[in-house]
Amino acid sequence: MESIALAAADKPARYRELLPQISALLDGEPDLIANLANTAAALRACVTAASWIGFYVRRGDELVLGPFQGKVACVRIALGHGVCGTAAAERRTLIVPDVERFPGHIACDAGSRSEIVVPIFRAGRAGPGDVVAVLDLDSYDLAAFDEADAAGLAPIAELLGTLAW
Ligand code: SME
């Protein structure tokens, strides 16, 4: 794999093109950190509106910074706090069009204006298990993320749920 190749201009098609490329990147590689790092880089190529893309991994009652693309960021977020901690605690994707309107938003980068956070559930035979991490994308633009991002990121999060957490 040399680079991520995306021809489409519209979001749903770009995510559709991205998914098999991420799948190919992860295929046969058991190392969790390597896989998260390459996924963050692949997403960076796809989601041009994002200023920061990365993972917070669950460690007990906290989320701890994982592989990411972007500026240095907050290291620890308590479950239930900020957009990331809320998405993890509520086990659902949060789209925040204006972070200033999200009570408790944690500003790692004062330039961030909007955000999407997608929980990653440990894959299990009986369906989604515990939240093992969240995938966080931030943007300097207001309302950069919408349902098309949530729909496009969902199968990526599902794929990541099968990794060696
Ligand atoms: N804004 C996030 C914190 C993570 S950084 O933006 C990278 C939050 O409120 O959870």
Side-chain angles (χ1 to χ4, degrees):
M1 167 85 48
E2 286 173 15
S3 62
I4 297 296
L6 300 167
D10 67 292
K11 274 189 202 181
R14 284 175 77 79
Y15 283 115
R16 270 199 304 278
E17 289 181 347
L18 181 67
L19 182 62
Q21 295 182 65
I22 291 182
S23 182
L25 276 174
L26 307 188
D27 189 39
E29 175 49 65
D31 191 274
L32 177 65
I33 293 173
N35 285 330
L36 296 182
N38 255 344
T39 300
L43 281 165
R44 176 79 148 195
C46 178
V47 189
T48 51
S51 54
W52 195 94
I53 295 174
F55 296 93
Y56 280 90
V57 179
R58 184 169 182 179
R59 301 273 186 244
D61 291 340
E62 284 184 322
L63 297 171
V64 180
L65 184 64
F68 69 93
Q69 296 265 313
K71 290 188 186 173
V72 294
C74 332
V75 175
R76 290 177 188 270
I77 298 173
L79 285 182
H81 289 238
V83 185
C84 291
T86 304
E90 297 185 358
R91 296 173 59 87
R92 64 189 180 100
T93 293
L94 292 179
I95 298 169
V96 180
D98 181 352
V99 294
E100 285 175 16
R101 290 169 181 268
F102 186 96
H105 167 256
I106 299 164
C108 296
D109 178 343
S112 289
R113 287 287 165 266
S114 62
E115 178 163 0
I116 184 171
V117 179
V118 182
I120 298 170
F121 304 101
R122 188 194 304 278
R125 266 188 228 132
D130 291 342
V131 173
V132 286
V134 299
L135 170 57
D136 178 19
L137 284 77
D138 299 282
S139 176
Y140 290 154
D141 302 327
L142 279 171
F145 307 110
D146 56 24
E147 291 299 334
D149 296 281
L153 294 169
I156 296 170
E158 196 178 329
L159 176 63
L160 295 172
T162 65
L163 296 178
W165 295 98

